Amino acid sequence: RGLPGSVPADNAPEFAQRLGQSAQWRTRAWKGILQWLQFGIPGDSLFVPLLEVCLQQLRVLAAHRLRNDGLDDDDEIQAASAAADDMVSNMKVAAKYARSVGALVLEQLSQGWVVQILDHSARDDSQDAMAWSAVAISFGETYTDFIVSHMADPGLSESIGAYLQLMVALTRYPGHHGFDEDVSDQPLNFWYLLQEALLEYSYDSEGDATIPTMEAARRTYAEVLRALVAKSAFPTADTWLSADRDTRERFASYRRESGDALLNAYYVLRGDMLGALVDEVLSLGALSLDDWQRAEALLFALRSIGEAVPVTETEHLPRLFSAKALSGQLLPVLQARTDGSDRAAQWGLTSLQAAVISLTGAYGEWWRERAELLAVVVPSVATGLHEPALVPTAVAALRRICENCREQLGSAASSLVQLACDVLRAGAAVPAREQQRIFESVAEVVLAQPPDTHATMLEPLTSVLLSALHTDVTQLETVHGSPEPQIAVLTDRLRLAEALARGLQFADDIEEHALAGDADAVAALVFAAQCYQSASLQAFRNGLLGVQSRILALPEWLRDTAGMVQLDDVLLESMLAVVNSAVRRGPHAFALAFSDAVTFVGSMWTAVVARVGADGTPTFGARWADQCPALLQSIAQLATVAAPATAAWSAAASNSDETDRVLGAVITRAIGDVCAGLACDASGLAVAIEQQPVVSEYVFDLSTRVLQTRPALLACVDHTATARLCELSVHALTVPSRLALKPTAYFLTALIRLSGGSARSTPATPLLQALWAEYGAAWLRAALAGIGGALPRSLLPNLTELLFAMARNHLHTVKSWMTELLAQPAFPSPHADAAAKRNFQQQLLGTRSFVRAKAVVG
């Protein structure tokens, strides 16, 4: 065994005597055993006696360390701990020897030597604490079910209780995590596993059998709660302010994990935990900088469990959020200020204020039934927008409250709109991303109010936003030198318009119900569409168009040598995002008239992608390939979402034929220009697709969405454009790029399914059948060549789906073409003989199962 102090028998081998005398030999032995275990050599029957020896060795080493014998045994401690850890965490052994291993480990760990050595390590600032605790942590994570099922076992309950106390001691390990210790986060996963096991145990057991176990668990988790609250508290100001960024981030990471563990504790303790935390917070009186770390930690714990506390809770939260507690204890600290020169006081106050704001946001859903308190809570939370360090926290809380209480905030909608105006005027004082979140939240509150109030509520904000946009464009027009700062400001403003438009979108289910004929949903959308014809909203929509037109008409320094506009990519995407956010199946407050939207996208295409000359030859912008994908995405949005022919609320409903004609012309232009632009590459179309796969991806995505949602629209697309698209697809099927091949295969699969005899007939059916007759053989050849080895195997699933669609929808034609193609020597692979080709064809064409088709191809 090699235990220090043991006397080997006289006839013991030399190595046994060496083990009893040399820590170096024992270290080597434990490392050898660990490698043996990790290699996987069978030896289950040795695990229990070997683990017993290992635990006894660790206990003896701990005794030497506690006596300060001065032995050089650090390596032996690490090696023995690693071997024991590996044995305890072995799941196969746990399943086979759970009782034996569990009793053995609990017997050792319940004797208190681990707690003593951990206390010793903490006092001496030793680095061995992880080694001493590894076995206990791994045992808990591996034998959780065993622990739960035996918590009430008379023979094991005492040792399990001692073990749980050890885990609590590890949870409250002295110090602040990340600063002066790295142990206390190790047991947090155990508390999650234990809570899950307790939940499963309570479901599987019946009657009163769970009472003793759950009572023991609640006593343990009550101690865990106290430990987590204490460990979550911030260190002293001197410690925090002198720490580097990595140290602070480690502590912040621990706090996030601690918050999850607090949630696990709540699932066991429920109302008892909430009541205890509320009692402690209320006992503090008015929040101040006196012992603020304790107060902040309690608020952090309450915030962490907010998502799990039911909105029907009526015992403890009404005490915490009573008008008296809010006005007398919690909210006054948000108005407090300190001398800016005192960094410690400023940090403490900001941390406490952030905790209060986060707490109110965490219970956003609970405020829904307490609308009378929102008039106090929302303005108080909004004060955080005036302090840069509190802005992200305040915005997150406001967003949570607005999401959950949008209907109840009707009386405060005007104040929220004014808040958004103030944020816009504040400029860079509130980061751009946070401004967008505020705008979207305010818009959601406005949307929840009656539609005939939307225009009035929004008018102050839309006026300020439109004025700011025009000012930004004016500054860009007159800038001297680099325009990047002005472009960044303008882009952020456009994103605010996008956020506002996004928040004003009706829910998808309302639009779907209306399209399905739901009378109430139709009436609601028709009424909203009528209300959105107000003069103020119309002025804002026209103003947005005017801003966009001014951007496209910017001075010559934004143009290339061909006279094409050179827009910043982010600015271009922001301009289109404003339009895309308002293009919906239902009405939208900012929705442009269909003709205006199409005209805008068309003019943008002409400005930045391609301008057609008098002779019909397109002139392409220097960066057309980089910028046309965003425009193709907008065209797809218009084609598949805007102006459904049956929409009673749509102005285009009465003239759907004209809508399809206009969209067909736009799609024709886009497809034609893209194909012409790629064809300009002197190296060939396939090389151009490989070099610009994103362009190919988006043009085929546009075509696929048209086929899947409005196939009749394809009949309005010029036949020349569809023919060029099909030629492009033949080349794209030969490109070894997922970006190019995957969308191409999706498009062709949709086209082939619609061209089959079993597909529902549409005005585009004759065109689709003609395209299949003309290009089907080329598609089949390209797909077979790819399967035969011309393309990587990772692309086979897409080619398989394409081949299966061909066989299912055009069996006889495919059989004829495939017979002819496979008769060619060395096609599709020189490694396939005639018999293999014949077998492949028979199996592929003879199955109606896609799973079987994949097996044949694979």
Side-chain angles (χ1 to χ4, degrees):
R1 293 188 174 187
L3 298 180
S6 64
V7 181
D10 293 337
N11 60 349
E14 181 183 356
F15 76 85
Q17 299 184 35
R18 293 281 189 103
L19 286 173
Q21 301 167 4
S22 170
Q24 185 178 12
W25 273 65
R26 289 193 299 273
T27 300
R28 292 175 178 175
W30 289 121
K31 289 181 177 179
I33 290 171
L34 177 61
Q35 291 183 357
W36 167 56
L37 295 170
Q38 293 177 342
F39 187 75
I41 297 177
D44 290 359
S45 60
L46 297 176
F47 269 79
V48 176
L50 188 57
L51 178 60
E52 182 180 7
V53 172
C54 192
L55 292 174
Q56 290 179 4
Q57 179 80 330
L58 284 170
R59 182 179 178 185
V60 170
L61 291 170
H64 282 286
R65 182 61 61 88
L66 291 171
R67 291 197 301 267
N68 294 317
D69 288 346
L71 298 179
D72 184 15
D73 53 7
D74 289 349
D75 290 342
E76 184 179 1
I77 292 170
Q78 297 290 338
S81 172
D85 184 24
D86 190 271
M87 284 184 278
V88 169
S89 58
N90 190 302
M91 299 300 294
K92 292 182 179 179
V93 174
K96 192 172 183 180
Y97 301 104
R99 179 78 187 193
S100 300
V101 174
L104 172 63
V105 175
L106 288 171
E107 178 187 2
Q108 288 292 333
L109 298 184
S110 63
Q111 295 179 20
W113 62 269
V114 180
V115 174
Q116 295 173 17
I117 193 63
L118 286 173
D119 288 342
H120 181 273
S121 298
R123 290 195 303 272
D124 290 0
D125 195 21
S126 170
Q127 300 299 314
D128 293 333
M130 294 288 289
W132 295 119
S133 61
V135 176
I137 293 169
S138 294
F139 173 74
E141 293 179 347
T142 309
Y143 291 80
T144 314
D145 292 335
F146 172 82
I147 293 171
V148 170
S149 60
H150 292 83
M151 287 178 75
D153 186 333
L156 291 173
S157 60
E158 185 175 348
S159 57
I160 288 177
Y163 168 75
L164 292 175
Q165 289 300 309
L166 167 61
M167 296 300 285
V168 172
L170 286 172
T171 305
R172 64 160 66 98
Y173 192 83
H176 290 89
H177 192 277
F179 287 86
D180 50 12
E181 61 93 2
D182 292 302
V183 177
S184 56
D185 65 327
Q186 299 301 307
L188 297 185
N189 187 52
F190 167 71
W191 298 122
Y192 160 71
L193 295 173
L194 183 64
Q195 177 259 313
E196 290 287 306
L198 287 166
L199 182 63
E200 185 176 350
Y201 175 77
S202 64
Y203 284 157
D204 295 342
S205 303
E206 298 180 357
D208 298 335
T210 63
I211 293 178
T213 297
M214 296 309 296
E215 287 181 347
R218 279 191 284 270
R219 288 194 297 270
T220 299
Y221 273 95
E223 295 189 53
V224 173
L225 168 62
R226 289 190 286 272
L228 290 172
V229 170
K231 290 293 295 182
S232 298
F234 280 99
T236 62
D238 290 341
T239 301
W240 179 268
L241 296 176
S242 61
D244 58 30
R245 181 176 180 178
D246 289 342
T247 300
R248 295 180 184 181
E249 181 53 39
R250 286 197 296 272
F251 181 73
S253 177
Y254 168 78
R255 289 248 299 185
R256 289 190 289 270
E257 296 178 15
S258 176
D260 293 337
L262 285 164
L263 193 59
N264 300 139
Y266 175 78
Y267 287 133
V268 176
L269 299 173
R270 299 288 177 178
D272 293 342
M273 176 175 173
L274 181 62
L277 290 173
V278 170
D279 288 342
E280 288 204 53
V281 170
L282 295 180
S283 69
L284 296 174
L287 299 180
S288 68
L289 291 181
D290 297 333
D291 194 22
W292 69 265
Q293 285 96 335
R294 172 69 177 169
E296 193 279 340
L298 290 170
L299 297 176
F300 168 76
L302 282 168
R303 183 197 76 187
S304 299
I305 65 174
E307 66 181 71
V309 177
V311 295
T312 55
E313 210 287 324
T314 57
E315 181 179 358
H316 303 297
L317 288 183
R319 294 191 294 123
L320 178 65
F321 294 131
S322 66
K324 179 180 179 181
L326 287 172
S327 60
Q329 291 185 249
L330 298 178
L331 298 183
V333 74
L334 299 179
Q335 307 296 332
R337 296 293 181 268
T338 64
D339 181 0
S341 61
D342 189 342
R343 291 183 63 207
Q346 183 61 46
W347 169 62
L349 180 61
T350 300
S351 301
L352 197 55
Q353 290 172 332
V356 173
I357 292 173
S358 296
L359 177 66
T360 58
Y363 292 89
E365 194 172 357
W366 188 83
W367 297 111
R368 186 184 303 159
E369 303 302 324
R370 286 85 185 170
E372 70 279 1
L373 297 175
L374 289 172
V376 177
V377 171
V378 173
S380 298
V381 171
T383 59
L385 299 175
H386 302 298
E387 180 63 42
L390 295 175
V391 167
T393 304
V395 171
L398 277 174
R399 182 152 182 76
R400 185 78 181 271
I401 294 172
C402 290
E403 283 179 351
N404 290 285
C405 308
R406 59 186 70 178
E407 292 87 359
Q408 291 74 17
L409 285 169
S411 60
S414 297
S415 299
L416 288 171
V417 169
Q418 186 58 50
L419 171 66
C421 293
D422 294 340
V423 167
L424 179 60
R425 294 188 183 101
V430 178
R433 182 58 186 149
E434 306 304 337
Q435 290 186 29
Q436 295 167 36
R437 291 175 176 172
I438 292 173
F439 270 55
E440 187 170 352
S441 298
V442 170
E444 289 173 353
V445 172
V446 171
L447 184 65
Q449 312 314 313
D452 55 353
T453 66
H454 293 180
T456 304
M457 289 182 177
L458 290 170
E459 185 173 7
L461 184 54
T462 55
S463 298
V464 174
L465 179 57
L466 192 59
S467 175
L469 284 169
H470 278 294
T471 301
D472 296 336
V473 176
T474 299
Q475 291 179 351
L476 194 56
E477 288 173 335
T478 58
V479 69
H480 298 287
S482 174
E484 279 76 12
Q486 287 75 17
I487 290 176
V489 172
L490 177 58
T491 300
D492 289 339
R493 292 269 205 270
L494 287 169
R495 284 175 173 166
L496 290 180
E498 177 199 355
L500 202 56
R502 193 166 54 244
L504 290 170
Q505 293 174 355
F506 281 97
D508 289 340
D509 57 345
I510 296 178
E511 297 176 352
E512 290 169 0
H513 291 160
L515 289 171
D518 184 300
D520 292 338
V522 170
L525 295 188
V526 168
F527 179 57
Q530 293 171 350
C531 296
Y532 291 161
Q533 299 305 311
S534 71
S536 61
L537 289 177
Q538 186 62 45
F540 181 67
R541 292 192 287 264
N542 293 337
L544 279 180
L545 274 180
V547 168
Q548 310 269 39
S549 299
R550 288 183 65 191
I551 294 173
L552 292 178
L554 283 169
E556 293 300 322
W557 53 264
L558 279 179
R559 299 176 184 274
D560 61 16
T561 55
M564 303 294 290
V565 175
Q566 293 296 287
L567 283 182
D568 177 82
D569 288 346
V570 179
L571 178 58
L572 171 68
E573 292 171 3
S574 299
M575 294 170 67
L576 291 171
V578 176
V579 178
N580 294 346
S581 297
V583 173
R584 304 282 296 175
R585 290 175 297 178
H588 193 285
F590 296 166
L592 299 173
F594 176 74
S595 58
D596 291 338
V598 171
T599 301
F600 167 70
V601 174
S603 61
M604 203 166 217
W605 183 277
T606 300
V608 302
V609 177
R611 182 179 66 249
V612 179
D615 59 352
T617 303
T619 299
F620 291 92
R623 301 184 59 250
W624 75 272
D626 297 324
Q627 300 192 326
C628 79
L631 282 158
L632 290 171
Q633 193 172 18
S634 292
I635 295 171
Q637 179 90 346
L638 281 171
T640 59
V641 176
T646 58
W649 55 87
S650 172
S654 60
N655 195 10
S656 58
D657 291 341
E658 177 62 16
T659 299
D660 286 353
R661 188 193 66 77
V662 173
L663 281 173
V666 172
I667 296 171
T668 297
R669 170 78 185 280
I671 292 175
D673 286 348
V674 168
C675 293
L678 291 173
C680 290
D681 193 313
S683 302
L685 200 52
V687 174
I689 294 172
E690 189 169 5
Q691 293 175 347
Q692 304 289 349
V694 178
V695 176
S696 172
E697 175 189 8
Y698 275 86
V699 75
F700 283 117
D701 179 65
L702 163 63
S703 306
T704 304
R705 290 175 66 179
V706 170
L707 284 174
Q708 291 176 338
T709 58
R710 299 181 68 182
L713 182 58
L714 201 63
C716 299
V717 178
D718 186 82
H719 292 188
T720 303
T722 55
R724 298 188 72 173
L725 183 66
C726 290
E727 292 172 3
L728 184 69
S729 67
V730 173
H731 291 279
L733 286 178
T734 66
V735 176
S737 166
R738 180 174 294 276
L739 279 178
L741 188 138
K742 187 175 180 179
T744 306
Y746 282 163
F747 163 68
L748 293 178
T749 300
L751 184 151
I752 290 166
R753 286 171 179 167
L754 289 173
S755 66
S758 60
R760 183 174 59 87
S761 179
T762 70
T765 299
L767 170 64
L768 297 176
Q769 292 173 343
L771 293 174
W772 164 254
E774 184 174 355
Y775 296 98
W779 294 331
L780 179 60
R781 181 182 183 86
L784 290 174
I787 290 172
L791 295 177
R793 290 188 59 81
S794 60
L795 301 177
L796 289 189
N798 303 114
L799 295 176
T800 302
E801 186 176 5
L802 176 58
L803 274 177
F804 184 69
M806 292 180 181
R808 284 294 304 272
N809 293 277
H810 300 280
L811 178 61
H812 298 295
T813 308
V814 170
K815 182 177 181 181
S816 174
W817 287 342
M818 189 176 290
T819 301
E820 182 180 344
L821 288 169
L822 295 181
Q824 300 175 11
F827 181 86
S829 169
H831 305 292
D833 56 24
K837 294 179 185 180
R838 185 165 54 253
N839 184 52
F840 169 80
Q841 180 178 0
Q842 290 174 352
Q843 292 189 52
L844 180 64
L845 300 183
T847 183
R848 299 183 65 81
S849 166
F850 180 60
V851 175
R852 175 58 183 159
K854 287 197 297 184
V856 172
V857 173

